[in-house]
Amino acid sequence: MKILHTSDWHLGASYEGVSREEDHKFFLNWLLNTLNEQNIDVLLIAGDIFDQTQPSSESLKSYYQFLFHISKSTSVKKVIVLGGNHDSPSRLDAPAELLKLLDVFVVGGMTSDLDNLDKYLCPIYSSDNKIELIIATVPYIHEFRLGVRTAFLSEKEIQADFKNKFSELYKKLADKAEELAQNVPLIATGHLACTGSEKDDSPLEVHLVGTIGSLPSDIFDPRFCYVALGHVHRSYKVEKSNAYYSGSPIPLSIKESKTDRAVYVLNFKQDQITPDVEKITVPVLRNIVEISGELEEVYVKIKKLKWTTPLPPFLSLQINVESFSIGTDFQIRKEVESYFSKITDNNTMQEQAITSAFSKSVPIISQIKQYPIHKKQKVNIFEHNKSLKELTVEEIFIKMCELKNQTLDENLLTAFRSLISNENK
């Protein structure tokens, strides 16, 4: 029995307004191939299928096409889809009965009736119709559903209540699973922030009470040999537990581009209760690269760019400037696109038309930010031989321009003089 754990696809996501649809298609094609190459029996998706609660038609199409291709071109016998905090529980659950025909088990959300937990258990059957594994399917749960009430409670009391409620839930699920079958592996899922989450993990907080921080690893009943988690976009094993985050399969931020994307494969050998866990790196279509410095320095860094991914990276540029310039963005884009369009033409210097920003050979500049820097020492207009009363209005204006790093040319000075002249009429 082999299970593949993935999560946080965020279909429909964009980076600074640029669609990631192409990146998601690249991942889904890779995943289909991997399911076949690894002879996966169960695919487990631990939440945040979509980036928005109301996904676009393109995102829905990608999702349903993928599920259809699994049923037609792989040996996967069960797909488990769980809702995350970005998903709409009702939207995920709506086609659940129909998707059963494709052996897809969907749990969009969890109700407040925690005494009726059988519907959250997904038994996996062998070829001779015997239960060989049970998965407790826990989606994202709002604290209200767990019975957590925060009014008039201290932070310590809220933390204790969260821990107790989650611990009780996982214990009840393990009890129910053992009623179905004895001596078979038990797996649980979850979509939450657990021990090991870092402050700048994207995202960290998931519940409304952000002050409680991450949940401890001992909320998971020890009878679960593996807990497949979603929500944190970095892949890692939660300390002192059998819980793992698979992380997002495509980099959705600069930080995520600095670490490998991954899925986990669980291999249960014959009569083995605890699986062998293998981390498989997911290839990415392109990364997100941050470049900062003064304009000429940024140009040099961009021209030295190299990448091993199929497509060039997204560029997030931070330009240090003495003063803001409206034309800087256009100038940078034109320079970068012109440069890369030339070098891709067999490295000749023949002038070419500037290619589209979405060219396969031109990095996509997704963000340009200008940061004012102070090259000159700030001048305090009060630290002069003359007092403020002795300075003319024009002298004060000039000093203020210096303090704000605003370039003062003749046109600006003329406009100021004209304004003062009109005020004095």
Side-chain angles (χ1 to χ4, degrees):
M1 170 76 69
K2 295 184 78 173
I3 301 173
L4 190 145
H5 163 208
T6 178
S7 71
D8 296 273
W9 291 2
H10 287 273
L11 297 176
S14 61
Y15 180 70
E16 298 298 334
V18 182
S19 171
R20 307 301 302 278
E21 183 180 358
E22 200 170 5
D23 304 70
H24 279 120
K25 286 181 179 178
F26 182 81
F27 162 67
L28 293 177
N29 287 333
W30 173 86
L31 183 55
L32 281 172
N33 292 330
T34 302
L35 293 173
N36 279 322
E37 291 170 3
Q38 293 285 333
N39 296 314
I40 300 299
D41 298 291
V42 178
L43 172 63
L44 202 164
I45 312 169
D48 281 355
I49 313 299
F50 300 104
D51 192 58
Q52 303 290 336
T53 55
Q54 296 186 11
S56 65
S57 57
E58 292 82 4
S59 301
L60 289 168
K61 183 178 179 180
S62 295
Y63 170 60
Y64 290 122
Q65 280 186 339
F66 174 76
L67 296 178
F68 175 76
H69 287 317
I70 284 182
S71 68
K72 293 299 180 183
S73 61
T74 74
S75 58
V76 173
K77 57 185 179 182
K78 184 68 72 175
V79 178
I80 296 175
V81 178
L82 302 169
N85 60 301
H86 277 251
D87 299 311
S88 163
S90 58
R91 190 176 293 273
L92 275 184
D93 283 333
E97 291 301 315
L98 183 61
L99 290 176
K100 283 182 181 178
L101 300 175
L102 300 178
D103 290 317
V104 179
F105 185 88
V106 181
V107 180
M110 187 172 273
T111 66
S112 300
D113 182 14
L114 299 183
D115 291 325
N116 183 22
L117 296 175
D118 297 279
K119 59 184 176 180
Y120 302 112
L121 298 179
C122 180
I124 307 299
Y125 293 89
S126 62
S127 56
D128 56 355
N129 206 35
K130 292 182 180 178
I131 295 177
E132 56 182 340
L133 182 144
I134 300 175
I135 300 177
T137 57
V138 182
Y140 164 69
I141 314 174
H142 191 281
E143 55 263 32
F144 185 84
R145 300 288 188 190
L146 288 173
V148 175
R149 302 295 183 265
T150 60
F152 310 113
L153 295 180
S154 67
E155 181 178 319
K156 188 175 180 180
E157 289 172 325
I158 295 172
Q159 288 176 330
D161 203 12
F162 262 85
K163 178 184 175 181
N164 292 337
K165 288 298 195 302
F166 271 103
S167 298
E168 181 184 4
L169 171 63
Y170 282 104
K171 181 183 181 302
K172 285 184 176 180
L173 284 167
D175 290 340
K176 286 287 184 182
E178 287 189 335
E179 290 177 11
L180 283 180
Q182 295 288 328
N183 301 318
V184 299
L186 304 183
I187 290 177
T189 69
H191 194 90
L192 45 82
C194 198
T195 300
S197 303
E198 298 175 356
K199 285 186 177 181
D200 55 349
D201 270 328
S202 176
L204 175 57
E205 294 172 354
V206 63
H207 294 97
L208 292 180
V209 189
T211 57
I212 70 165
S214 56
L215 291 162
S217 59
D218 59 0
I219 63 171
F220 306 116
D221 193 286
R223 286 172 286 180
F224 292 113
C225 63
Y226 185 93
V227 182
L229 296 178
H231 181 59
V232 177
H233 290 185
R234 176 171 53 88
S235 62
Y236 70 94
K237 179 184 179 182
V238 178
E239 60 183 23
K240 300 178 182 179
S241 77
N242 295 323
Y244 291 76
Y245 282 102
S246 64
S248 57
I250 72 169
L252 298 168
S253 67
I254 294 170
K255 181 187 176 182
E256 290 173 33
S257 273
K258 296 176 181 178
T259 56
D260 288 339
R261 306 292 91 199
V263 298
Y264 286 106
V265 171
L266 291 61
N267 187 8
F268 289 92
K269 297 176 182 176
Q270 190 172 8
D271 299 324
Q272 185 177 345
I273 296 295
T274 303
D276 296 329
V277 180
E278 179 187 3
K279 184 176 181 178
I280 298 180
T281 300
V282 177
V284 297
L285 186 65
R286 56 191 154 197
N287 279 308
I288 304 171
V289 176
E290 184 178 49
I291 297 177
S292 61
E294 296 185 16
L295 187 57
E296 291 305 318
E297 184 183 0
V298 167
Y299 280 145
V300 171
K301 290 179 180 178
I302 291 175
K303 291 175 181 179
K304 289 182 178 179
L305 269 178
K306 293 182 180 179
W307 56 86
T308 57
T309 52
L311 290 185
F314 290 108
L315 298 184
S316 178
L317 307 181
Q318 297 185 15
I319 314 297
N320 297 332
V321 296
E322 289 190 55
S323 59
F324 289 101
S325 172
I326 296 175
T328 299
D329 287 19
F330 176 77
Q331 176 188 343
I332 293 171
R333 295 181 190 278
K334 182 177 179 181
E335 178 76 18
V336 170
E337 292 174 5
S338 180
Y339 172 77
F340 281 99
S341 66
K342 289 176 183 177
I343 64 173
T344 53
D345 186 25
N346 298 322
N347 292 320
T348 66
M349 296 304 294
Q350 180 181 359
E351 192 67 36
Q352 296 181 346
I354 295 177
T355 60
S356 163
F358 293 91
S359 165
K360 302 297 183 185
S361 60
V362 180
I364 298 175
I365 300 177
S366 54
Q367 182 182 61
I368 300 177
K369 289 184 178 180
Q370 297 184 47
Y371 288 91
I373 57 173
H374 298 270
K375 284 192 168 182
K376 300 176 182 178
Q377 185 178 0
K378 288 186 178 181
V379 178
N380 191 328
I381 59 176
F382 300 100
E383 294 179 356
H384 285 277
N385 292 330
K386 293 183 179 180
S387 67
L388 183 59
K389 292 181 179 180
E390 295 176 298
L391 292 173
T392 66
V393 174
E394 185 172 310
E395 286 174 329
I396 293 174
F397 175 71
I398 293 171
K399 295 300 180 184
M400 290 300 298
C401 287
E402 290 177 3
L403 285 171
K404 298 294 184 181
N405 282 317
Q406 172 65 53
T407 302
L408 183 64
D409 55 22
E410 191 60 35
N411 290 334
L412 182 59
L413 197 55
T414 300
F416 177 77
R417 288 168 178 165
S418 176
L419 178 65
I420 293 300
S421 177
N422 290 334
E423 287 289 328
N424 292 332
K425 286 183 179 178

